[in-house]
Amino acid sequence: MSTVTAVPPVAAKARSKPLLTALAGVPNAGKTTLFNALTGLNYKVANYPGVTVEKRVGTCHLAGFENIRLVDLPGAYSLFGGSPDEVLAADHLMGRLPKEDKPDVVICVVDACNIERNLFLASQIIDIGIPVVVALNMLDIAKTRGLSVRKELLAKNLGVAVVDISGRTKTNTDELLRAVAKAGSGEKRPGRYRWCSDKEFLDSAKSIGRLSRSDDTDDPDELIGIGIGLLSGSRQAESAKQRELLLAMRKQLVEQGVDAGAYETEERYSWVNSIASRSVVQVDGTRKDLTEKLDRVLTHPVWGLLIFLMIMGTMFQSIFTWASIPMDFIDSLFADVQVGLKSIIPPGQLQSLIADGIVVGVGSVLIFIPQIAVLYLFISVLEETGYLSRAAVLLDAFMRRVGLQGRSFIPLLSSFACAIPGIMATRSIPSFSDRMATILIAPLMSCSARLPVYTLLIAAFVPRRTVAGFLSLQGLVFLGLYLLGIVGALAIAYLLRKTVFRSSPSHFLMEMPPYRIPVAGQVLKTIWEKCAVFVKNAGTVILACSILLWFLASYPKTTDGSPSEAVRQSYAGQLGQAIEPIIEPLGYDWKLGVSIIASFAAREVFVSSVALVNNLEDVDEESDSLIDAIRNAKDPETGEHSYDLATALSLMVFFVFACQCMSTLAVCKRETGGWKWPIVMFVYMTALAYGAAFVTFRLSSSLLT
Amino acid sequence: MNIETTIMALLVLAAVVYLARRGASSIKSFRENTNCSDCGCTKSGKEEG
Ligand SMILES: Nc1nc2c(ncn2[C@@H]2O[C@H](COP(=O)(O)OP(=O)(O)O)[C@@H](O)[C@H]2O)c(=O)[nH]1
Ligand SMILES: [Mg+2]
């Protein structure tokens, strides 16, 4: 079949089609940071490995390079690794994914401080035969450690373009993209198999590879690749003749004193090490010992734990103390708005809908913006400094005792923001039973949607007192709720391990990222975005729910009776009273029942709903702040306060454990491939929530009176 | 029916339609194996939390 086929030049192809460019590299090399810088998108970046578990696509937004389409891949240490995210990255690079093209160019992001391990992967990628551009990252850190990087030497040895960049400060991205465009134009292909100086070896690999018919290629480099794959065992022989040749070659290697299976890896390592040691050199005194000293304290079983608790304690204290002033301000602002609107709009349905429905419903959620901001200030600073990996090491021992491994830490940690990315992050856990156990307990971590519920109930019912001189009681209760979720999760994990998922936790070595000073811009951006999402939610779902709830709590209109009687007879009232028998043992009245149902739309709606229904009940009373309105809610029959500390504690415990998030169940179904596990999740969490709330209510009402 | 009732009814209707459509679109995005649309964490491939 020696027909002449006209091969279109790559450049021509590139003009009609976008240049597909993959970002590859070891975990934590800075791929996502670079991806965000190039695309203007905004994916999560954090100073620990395993954050990106799916590939993400975006178009370059820098002028002149709109033709470049970028794919951010999960990190991988090797193209032949085992965890699902590593396999995904390798499959994409080798064009093994169905319906997807092989990338035209690969940007290999290399962390200059970890050059050996990074170059190992880079050299594997170069061997695939796709044009490669090496992006040297983290040069700022290399500099502070006294490392000097010889870029030209590196480029010459690897045979590919090397560009020093910083995704963080967006330096040199233009030069990088120019190199990508040039590599994509197909002018120069990188030399493959540079690690192998043994021509004879390559020749025999080629002749063995030629016997594989399945790939149908004549390209000598491809054939060598097939031969090496056969030799290292990542490919199977296709014919008896090939097997025979393979055996002969193995034997020959063994005679030379070389292990055939490991030949490639060993040669590659020694080649990479020799390049690495020449191109990155220590020029002045190392500051590495500072990291070591810090690590020794921070991961110390006693001191480390103490510091960890102190950091967590400070975080929860600050959420209350720092946020209380802006919060009170926003709270009184909304109360004023409500009064103002009532004086503008003539009394009637519309006034009630706007002032008692929308303003109360949306406002009662918006007053928590300061808390959200403080929470994310802490989270993003902790993430960026690299402290969290130390915390993972610290907690590894505990997690191991309940049968979880350190790899579960990052999914569980992400779940404090939201269980959905948390559950998706479990894809970096190779073992099935480890992964399932982690998925099932991830929603027990208190996510940020629970925050307004906690803060509202605490602000309303826990006295503003200090204990032990300086700790605020409110902050302590808050910390307690988070800890309760963690303890609950560990207990469930232990049970799961003893029953359903019996297997010993697999080995895990957490890579310690270097300490980094967080960039103020990055931190502020995270805070801004989180608050923006929160506000957007308030303006959409919560607004819609408030309108609907107002309607349900105002109709059908009764002509006689007090406002509270009218609410009681409304649709919402009827619904609430129907479920009252079920929730009465927990200390809740029908209004809380309605609000719990409403909170299935979004947890924050609980707060809107409580504020809204109670507000409708006593429209006659002078309007206080939203929090006061809840605190002072009275039972219309007895005239006593409807809610006390025991009710509040029981409610908070309910929210710690209850599974009230449809999206979590849906993502659980998607990740586990069926309805079985989401149903298990919902049932066990609901039962746990009910039981724990019951116990809390009984205990606290008898202890507190 | 007076204007006030009409406005109110329209607002309530809009809220119901909005919530229903949102529910439907999040079911759809799960079917298509894209990301969730509820918590804002991965909304339209722009953010993750
Ligand atoms: N100092 C410094 N830090 C960086 C640079 N690029 C990325 N980082 C940080 O390195 C960490 C890991 O980055 P990320 O993009 O998530 O890495 P990925 O796992 O390869 O996607 C984050 O804390 C980033 O802020 C850089 O050029 N200099
Ligand atoms: Mg990443």
Side-chain angles (χ1 to χ4, degrees), chain A residues 24-36 43-52 72-75 109 136-142 165-171 383-386 513-517 519 522:
Chain A
V26 306
N28 216 24
K31 298 174 294 298
T32 306
T33 312
L34 179 62
F35 178 81
N36 289 344
Y43 282 112
K44 168 146 179 131
V45 172
N47 191 4
Y48 44 73
V51 175
T52 313
D72 183 25
L73 295 173
V109 182
L136 257 184
N137 201 16
M138 310 276 179
L139 288 172
D140 48 334
I141 300 177
I165 54 130
S166 170
R168 242 189 181 181
T169 55
K170 306 191 179 147
T171 358
E383 271 184 357
E384 278 286 299
T385 49
Y515 290 103
R516 295 189 187 124
I517 309 259
V519 195
Q522 177 92 28

Short mmCIF file of all heavy atoms in Angstrom, two decimals, chain A residues 24-36 43-52 72-75 109 136-142 165-171 383-386 513-517 519 522, ligand 1:
data_model
loop_
_atom_site.label_atom_id
_atom_site.label_comp_id
_atom_site.label_asym_id
_atom_site.label_seq_id
_atom_site.Cartn_x
_atom_site.Cartn_y
_atom_site.Cartn_z
N ALA A 24 0.00 19.76 31.07
CA ALA A 24 0.27 18.56 31.85
C ALA A 24 1.40 18.84 32.83
O ALA A 24 2.15 19.80 32.66
CB ALA A 24 0.65 17.41 30.93
N GLY A 25 1.51 18.01 33.83
CA GLY A 25 2.58 18.18 34.80
C GLY A 25 2.26 17.42 36.06
O GLY A 25 1.16 16.87 36.19
N VAL A 26 3.21 17.38 36.98
CA VAL A 26 2.94 16.65 38.22
C VAL A 26 1.96 17.49 39.06
O VAL A 26 1.81 18.67 38.82
CB VAL A 26 4.23 16.36 39.02
CG1 VAL A 26 5.24 15.64 38.17
CG2 VAL A 26 4.81 17.61 39.60
N PRO A 27 1.30 16.84 40.02
CA PRO A 27 0.38 17.60 40.86
C PRO A 27 1.09 18.78 41.53
O PRO A 27 2.26 18.68 41.88
CB PRO A 27 -0.08 16.58 41.90
CG PRO A 27 0.10 15.26 41.25
CD PRO A 27 1.28 15.40 40.35
N ASN A 28 0.38 19.86 41.67
CA ASN A 28 0.87 21.03 42.39
C ASN A 28 2.01 21.78 41.69
O ASN A 28 2.74 22.51 42.31
CB ASN A 28 1.32 20.63 43.81
CG ASN A 28 1.00 21.73 44.81
OD1 ASN A 28 0.11 22.53 44.60
ND2 ASN A 28 1.75 21.76 45.89
N ALA A 29 2.15 21.56 40.39
CA ALA A 29 3.20 22.28 39.67
C ALA A 29 2.74 23.67 39.26
O ALA A 29 3.55 24.50 38.85
CB ALA A 29 3.63 21.48 38.43
N GLY A 30 1.44 23.91 39.34
CA GLY A 30 0.91 25.22 38.96
C GLY A 30 0.18 25.23 37.64
O GLY A 30 0.04 26.27 37.01
N LYS A 31 -0.31 24.07 37.22
CA LYS A 31 -1.02 23.98 35.93
C LYS A 31 -2.29 24.81 35.93
O LYS A 31 -2.54 25.57 35.00
CB LYS A 31 -1.39 22.52 35.62
CG LYS A 31 -0.23 21.59 35.49
CD LYS A 31 -0.68 20.15 35.32
CE LYS A 31 -1.37 19.60 36.55
NZ LYS A 31 -0.54 19.55 37.76
N THR A 32 -3.08 24.64 36.97
CA THR A 32 -4.37 25.33 36.98
C THR A 32 -4.18 26.84 37.08
O THR A 32 -4.90 27.61 36.44
CB THR A 32 -5.25 24.79 38.11
OG1 THR A 32 -5.32 23.38 37.99
CG2 THR A 32 -6.64 25.37 38.05
N THR A 33 -3.19 27.26 37.84
CA THR A 33 -2.90 28.69 37.93
C THR A 33 -2.60 29.24 36.54
O THR A 33 -3.11 30.29 36.15
CB THR A 33 -1.68 28.92 38.84
OG1 THR A 33 -1.86 28.17 40.04
CG2 THR A 33 -1.52 30.37 39.18
N LEU A 34 -1.78 28.51 35.79
CA LEU A 34 -1.43 28.94 34.44
C LEU A 34 -2.66 28.91 33.53
O LEU A 34 -2.90 29.83 32.76
CB LEU A 34 -0.32 28.03 33.89
CG LEU A 34 0.15 28.34 32.48
CD1 LEU A 34 0.75 29.72 32.40
CD2 LEU A 34 1.19 27.31 32.02
N PHE A 35 -3.42 27.85 33.66
CA PHE A 35 -4.65 27.71 32.87
C PHE A 35 -5.56 28.92 33.10
O PHE A 35 -6.06 29.53 32.15
CB PHE A 35 -5.36 26.42 33.26
CG PHE A 35 -6.66 26.17 32.56
CD1 PHE A 35 -6.69 25.64 31.28
CD2 PHE A 35 -7.87 26.46 33.18
CE1 PHE A 35 -7.89 25.40 30.63
CE2 PHE A 35 -9.08 26.23 32.53
CZ PHE A 35 -9.09 25.70 31.26
N ASN A 36 -5.76 29.26 34.36
CA ASN A 36 -6.61 30.41 34.68
C ASN A 36 -6.04 31.69 34.09
O ASN A 36 -6.77 32.52 33.57
CB ASN A 36 -6.76 30.57 36.19
CG ASN A 36 -7.63 29.47 36.79
OD1 ASN A 36 -8.34 28.79 36.08
ND2 ASN A 36 -7.56 29.31 38.09
N TYR A 43 -10.70 28.49 37.85
CA TYR A 43 -10.85 27.23 38.56
C TYR A 43 -10.08 27.25 39.86
O TYR A 43 -9.18 28.05 40.07
CB TYR A 43 -10.36 26.08 37.69
CG TYR A 43 -11.38 25.71 36.66
CD1 TYR A 43 -11.16 25.92 35.32
CD2 TYR A 43 -12.60 25.20 37.06
CE1 TYR A 43 -12.11 25.60 34.38
CE2 TYR A 43 -13.57 24.88 36.13
CZ TYR A 43 -13.32 25.08 34.81
OH TYR A 43 -14.28 24.77 33.90
N LYS A 44 -10.45 26.31 40.69
CA LYS A 44 -9.87 26.28 42.02
C LYS A 44 -8.39 25.93 41.99
O LYS A 44 -7.96 24.97 41.36
CB LYS A 44 -10.60 25.25 42.85
CG LYS A 44 -9.89 24.94 44.11
CD LYS A 44 -10.86 24.65 45.19
CE LYS A 44 -10.12 24.32 46.44
NZ LYS A 44 -10.63 25.06 47.55
N VAL A 45 -7.62 26.74 42.70
CA VAL A 45 -6.19 26.52 42.83
C VAL A 45 -5.92 26.39 44.31
O VAL A 45 -6.46 27.14 45.09
CB VAL A 45 -5.45 27.76 42.30
CG1 VAL A 45 -3.98 27.66 42.60
CG2 VAL A 45 -5.67 27.94 40.83
N ALA A 46 -5.13 25.44 44.71
CA ALA A 46 -4.79 25.40 46.13
C ALA A 46 -3.44 24.74 46.27
O ALA A 46 -3.01 23.98 45.41
CB ALA A 46 -5.83 24.62 46.92
N ASN A 47 -2.80 25.08 47.35
CA ASN A 47 -1.45 24.59 47.56
C ASN A 47 -1.46 23.18 48.14
O ASN A 47 -0.97 22.95 49.22
CB ASN A 47 -0.69 25.55 48.46
CG ASN A 47 0.79 25.27 48.51
OD1 ASN A 47 1.26 24.37 47.81
ND2 ASN A 47 1.51 25.99 49.31
N TYR A 48 -2.07 22.25 47.45
CA TYR A 48 -1.90 20.84 47.77
C TYR A 48 -2.25 20.03 46.53
O TYR A 48 -3.01 20.50 45.69
CB TYR A 48 -2.72 20.39 48.96
CG TYR A 48 -4.14 20.87 49.02
CD1 TYR A 48 -5.11 20.35 48.18
CD2 TYR A 48 -4.52 21.83 49.94
CE1 TYR A 48 -6.42 20.79 48.26
CE2 TYR A 48 -5.82 22.27 50.02
CZ TYR A 48 -6.77 21.75 49.18
OH TYR A 48 -8.06 22.18 49.26
N PRO A 49 -1.67 18.83 46.42
CA PRO A 49 -1.91 18.06 45.20
C PRO A 49 -3.34 17.52 45.17
O PRO A 49 -3.98 17.39 46.21
CB PRO A 49 -0.92 16.91 45.30
CG PRO A 49 -0.13 17.12 46.52
CD PRO A 49 -0.75 18.16 47.34
N GLY A 50 -3.81 17.21 43.99
CA GLY A 50 -5.09 16.52 43.86
C GLY A 50 -6.30 17.42 43.79
O GLY A 50 -7.41 16.99 44.05
N VAL A 51 -6.09 18.69 43.48
CA VAL A 51 -7.24 19.60 43.42
C VAL A 51 -8.02 19.42 42.11
O VAL A 51 -9.24 19.39 42.10
CB VAL A 51 -6.79 21.06 43.58
CG1 VAL A 51 -7.96 22.00 43.40
CG2 VAL A 51 -6.18 21.26 44.94
N THR A 52 -7.28 19.32 41.01
CA THR A 52 -7.95 19.13 39.73
C THR A 52 -8.11 17.64 39.47
O THR A 52 -7.12 16.93 39.37
CB THR A 52 -7.10 19.74 38.59
OG1 THR A 52 -6.69 21.03 39.00
CG2 THR A 52 -7.88 19.83 37.32
N ASP A 72 -6.88 21.80 30.80
CA ASP A 72 -6.17 21.63 32.07
C ASP A 72 -6.37 20.19 32.52
O ASP A 72 -7.50 19.74 32.69
CB ASP A 72 -6.75 22.60 33.11
CG ASP A 72 -6.01 22.52 34.44
OD1 ASP A 72 -4.83 22.13 34.43
OD2 ASP A 72 -6.61 22.86 35.47
N LEU A 73 -5.29 19.48 32.71
CA LEU A 73 -5.41 18.07 33.09
C LEU A 73 -5.11 17.89 34.57
O LEU A 73 -4.41 18.71 35.16
CB LEU A 73 -4.41 17.23 32.28
CG LEU A 73 -4.64 17.17 30.79
CD1 LEU A 73 -3.48 16.45 30.12
CD2 LEU A 73 -5.94 16.47 30.50
N PRO A 74 -5.60 16.81 35.16
CA PRO A 74 -5.18 16.51 36.53
C PRO A 74 -3.69 16.21 36.56
O PRO A 74 -3.12 15.81 35.54
CB PRO A 74 -5.98 15.27 36.90
CG PRO A 74 -6.93 15.01 35.81
CD PRO A 74 -6.55 15.82 34.64
N GLY A 75 -3.08 16.37 37.70
CA GLY A 75 -1.65 16.10 37.80
C GLY A 75 -1.36 14.61 37.73
O GLY A 75 -2.19 13.78 38.05
N VAL A 109 4.13 21.74 32.45
CA VAL A 109 4.44 22.69 33.52
C VAL A 109 5.42 22.02 34.48
O VAL A 109 5.15 20.94 34.99
CB VAL A 109 3.18 23.13 34.27
CG1 VAL A 109 3.53 24.15 35.33
CG2 VAL A 109 2.17 23.70 33.29
N LEU A 136 8.58 26.57 32.67
CA LEU A 136 9.28 26.48 33.95
C LEU A 136 8.58 27.41 34.94
O LEU A 136 8.55 28.62 34.75
CB LEU A 136 10.71 26.96 33.78
CG LEU A 136 11.82 25.97 33.70
CD1 LEU A 136 13.14 26.70 33.64
CD2 LEU A 136 11.80 25.00 34.87
N ASN A 137 8.06 26.83 36.00
CA ASN A 137 7.25 27.60 36.93
C ASN A 137 7.93 27.66 38.30
O ASN A 137 8.92 26.97 38.53
CB ASN A 137 5.88 26.92 37.04
CG ASN A 137 4.81 27.86 37.55
OD1 ASN A 137 4.99 29.07 37.55
ND2 ASN A 137 3.71 27.29 37.99
N MET A 138 7.41 28.48 39.17
CA MET A 138 7.86 28.56 40.57
C MET A 138 9.30 29.07 40.66
O MET A 138 10.04 28.70 41.57
CB MET A 138 7.82 27.20 41.28
CG MET A 138 6.52 26.49 41.12
SD MET A 138 5.35 27.03 42.33
CE MET A 138 3.93 26.06 41.88
N LEU A 139 9.68 29.90 39.71
CA LEU A 139 11.05 30.40 39.74
C LEU A 139 11.28 31.34 40.92
O LEU A 139 12.40 31.44 41.43
CB LEU A 139 11.37 31.11 38.42
CG LEU A 139 11.53 30.12 37.27
CD1 LEU A 139 11.64 30.84 35.95
CD2 LEU A 139 12.75 29.24 37.49
N ASP A 140 10.20 32.00 41.36
CA ASP A 140 10.36 32.89 42.53
C ASP A 140 10.80 32.10 43.75
O ASP A 140 11.69 32.53 44.50
CB ASP A 140 9.09 33.67 42.78
CG ASP A 140 7.84 32.82 42.77
OD1 ASP A 140 7.84 31.75 42.11
OD2 ASP A 140 6.87 33.18 43.43
N ILE A 141 10.19 30.92 43.93
CA ILE A 141 10.57 30.12 45.09
C ILE A 141 11.97 29.58 44.93
O ILE A 141 12.77 29.58 45.86
CB ILE A 141 9.58 28.97 45.29
CG1 ILE A 141 8.19 29.54 45.50
CG2 ILE A 141 9.97 28.10 46.46
CD1 ILE A 141 7.14 28.50 45.64
N ALA A 142 12.27 29.13 43.70
CA ALA A 142 13.61 28.62 43.44
C ALA A 142 14.66 29.67 43.82
O ALA A 142 15.69 29.37 44.42
CB ALA A 142 13.75 28.25 41.97
N ILE A 165 8.08 31.06 33.19
CA ILE A 165 6.83 31.79 33.32
C ILE A 165 6.46 31.91 34.79
O ILE A 165 7.07 31.31 35.65
CB ILE A 165 5.67 31.04 32.64
CG1 ILE A 165 5.58 29.61 33.19
CG2 ILE A 165 5.82 31.01 31.15
CD1 ILE A 165 4.25 29.24 33.62
N SER A 166 5.45 32.70 35.05
CA SER A 166 4.77 32.58 36.32
C SER A 166 3.29 32.73 36.06
O SER A 166 2.84 33.75 35.56
CB SER A 166 5.25 33.64 37.30
OG SER A 166 4.39 33.62 38.42
N GLY A 167 2.58 31.67 36.36
CA GLY A 167 1.13 31.72 36.19
C GLY A 167 0.54 32.68 37.19
O GLY A 167 -0.48 33.31 36.96
N ARG A 168 1.22 32.80 38.30
CA ARG A 168 0.70 33.64 39.37
C ARG A 168 0.73 35.10 39.00
O ARG A 168 -0.23 35.81 39.18
CB ARG A 168 1.56 33.43 40.60
CG ARG A 168 0.78 32.87 41.72
CD ARG A 168 1.64 32.90 42.93
NE ARG A 168 0.90 32.33 44.02
CZ ARG A 168 1.39 32.23 45.25
NH1 ARG A 168 2.62 32.62 45.50
NH2 ARG A 168 0.67 31.73 46.20
N THR A 169 1.86 35.56 38.51
CA THR A 169 1.96 36.98 38.16
C THR A 169 1.75 37.20 36.67
O THR A 169 1.87 38.31 36.20
CB THR A 169 3.34 37.52 38.56
OG1 THR A 169 4.32 36.70 37.93
CG2 THR A 169 3.55 37.46 40.05
N LYS A 170 1.44 36.13 35.95
CA LYS A 170 1.20 36.20 34.51
C LYS A 170 2.41 36.76 33.75
O LYS A 170 2.25 37.47 32.77
CB LYS A 170 -0.04 37.04 34.21
CG LYS A 170 -1.24 36.54 34.98
CD LYS A 170 -2.53 37.16 34.53
CE LYS A 170 -3.63 36.55 35.35
NZ LYS A 170 -4.74 37.37 35.67
N THR A 171 3.61 36.42 34.19
CA THR A 171 4.79 36.88 33.46
C THR A 171 5.07 35.93 32.32
O THR A 171 4.93 34.73 32.47
CB THR A 171 6.04 36.88 34.36
OG1 THR A 171 5.65 36.48 35.64
CG2 THR A 171 6.74 38.20 34.38
N GLU A 383 -5.23 27.58 52.73
CA GLU A 383 -4.96 26.79 51.53
C GLU A 383 -3.69 27.24 50.83
O GLU A 383 -2.89 26.44 50.39
CB GLU A 383 -6.12 26.94 50.54
CG GLU A 383 -7.20 25.95 50.73
CD GLU A 383 -8.28 26.07 49.67
OE1 GLU A 383 -8.21 26.97 48.81
OE2 GLU A 383 -9.20 25.27 49.70
N GLU A 384 -3.54 28.56 50.73
CA GLU A 384 -2.43 29.08 49.96
C GLU A 384 -1.09 28.90 50.66
O GLU A 384 -0.08 28.72 50.01
CB GLU A 384 -2.66 30.56 49.65
CG GLU A 384 -3.58 30.78 48.48
CD GLU A 384 -2.89 30.46 47.16
OE1 GLU A 384 -1.88 31.11 46.86
OE2 GLU A 384 -3.34 29.55 46.46
N THR A 385 -1.06 28.97 51.99
CA THR A 385 0.23 28.88 52.66
C THR A 385 0.82 27.48 52.60
O THR A 385 2.02 27.33 52.74
CB THR A 385 0.11 29.23 54.15
OG1 THR A 385 -0.96 28.48 54.68
CG2 THR A 385 -0.13 30.70 54.36
N GLY A 386 -0.03 26.47 52.40
CA GLY A 386 0.50 25.11 52.42
C GLY A 386 0.33 24.47 53.77
O GLY A 386 0.75 23.34 54.00
N PRO A 513 3.78 20.32 50.11
CA PRO A 513 4.12 21.47 49.28
C PRO A 513 4.92 22.47 50.11
O PRO A 513 4.84 22.44 51.34
CB PRO A 513 2.77 22.05 48.90
CG PRO A 513 1.84 21.59 49.95
CD PRO A 513 2.38 20.31 50.49
N PRO A 514 5.69 23.30 49.47
CA PRO A 514 6.47 24.28 50.23
C PRO A 514 5.53 25.34 50.83
O PRO A 514 4.43 25.53 50.35
CB PRO A 514 7.36 24.92 49.17
CG PRO A 514 6.62 24.72 47.90
CD PRO A 514 5.89 23.44 48.03
N TYR A 515 6.02 25.99 51.87
CA TYR A 515 5.24 27.10 52.42
C TYR A 515 5.30 28.26 51.45
O TYR A 515 6.34 28.54 50.86
CB TYR A 515 5.81 27.54 53.76
CG TYR A 515 5.59 26.52 54.83
CD1 TYR A 515 6.62 25.69 55.26
CD2 TYR A 515 4.35 26.39 55.42
CE1 TYR A 515 6.40 24.74 56.23
CE2 TYR A 515 4.12 25.44 56.39
CZ TYR A 515 5.16 24.62 56.81
OH TYR A 515 4.95 23.68 57.76
N ARG A 516 4.20 28.92 51.27
CA ARG A 516 4.18 30.08 50.41
C ARG A 516 3.43 31.20 51.09
O ARG A 516 2.45 30.94 51.77
CB ARG A 516 3.47 29.77 49.09
CG ARG A 516 4.23 28.75 48.29
CD ARG A 516 3.68 28.60 46.90
NE ARG A 516 4.38 27.50 46.29
CZ ARG A 516 3.80 26.43 45.77
NH1 ARG A 516 2.49 26.36 45.74
NH2 ARG A 516 4.51 25.46 45.27
N ILE A 517 3.90 32.41 50.87
CA ILE A 517 3.16 33.56 51.39
C ILE A 517 1.98 33.80 50.47
O ILE A 517 2.17 33.93 49.26
CB ILE A 517 4.06 34.81 51.39
CG1 ILE A 517 5.37 34.50 52.08
CG2 ILE A 517 3.31 35.99 52.00
CD1 ILE A 517 5.50 34.96 53.47
N VAL A 519 -0.86 35.47 48.25
CA VAL A 519 -0.93 36.75 47.57
C VAL A 519 -2.27 37.39 47.94
O VAL A 519 -3.31 36.75 47.83
CB VAL A 519 -0.91 36.55 46.04
CG1 VAL A 519 -0.62 37.85 45.34
CG2 VAL A 519 0.09 35.50 45.66
N GLN A 522 -5.09 37.19 45.31
CA GLN A 522 -5.73 35.88 45.17
C GLN A 522 -6.74 35.66 46.28
O GLN A 522 -7.86 35.20 46.06
CB GLN A 522 -4.64 34.81 45.22
CG GLN A 522 -5.15 33.40 45.15
CD GLN A 522 -5.20 32.92 43.72
OE1 GLN A 522 -4.44 33.35 42.87
NE2 GLN A 522 -6.12 32.02 43.45
N1 LIG C 1 5.21 31.12 44.32
C1 LIG C 1 4.54 30.66 43.28
N2 LIG C 1 3.46 29.90 43.50
C2 LIG C 1 2.76 29.44 42.45
C3 LIG C 1 3.13 29.73 41.11
N3 LIG C 1 2.24 29.11 40.29
C4 LIG C 1 1.35 28.47 41.09
N4 LIG C 1 1.64 28.67 42.40
C5 LIG C 1 0.95 28.12 43.56
O1 LIG C 1 1.13 26.72 43.55
C6 LIG C 1 0.01 26.05 44.11
C7 LIG C 1 -0.49 24.97 43.18
O2 LIG C 1 -1.02 25.52 42.01
P1 LIG C 1 -2.11 24.78 41.09
O3 LIG C 1 -2.28 25.65 39.91
O4 LIG C 1 -3.33 24.40 41.85
O5 LIG C 1 -1.32 23.47 40.69
P2 LIG C 1 -1.79 22.20 39.85
O6 LIG C 1 -2.04 21.11 40.84
O7 LIG C 1 -0.63 21.88 38.97
O8 LIG C 1 -3.02 22.57 39.07
C8 LIG C 1 -1.00 27.15 44.41
O9 LIG C 1 -0.90 27.47 45.77
C9 LIG C 1 -0.55 28.31 43.55
O10 LIG C 1 -0.95 29.55 44.09
C10 LIG C 1 4.30 30.54 40.90
O11 LIG C 1 4.72 30.85 39.79
N5 LIG C 1 4.94 30.98 42.02
#
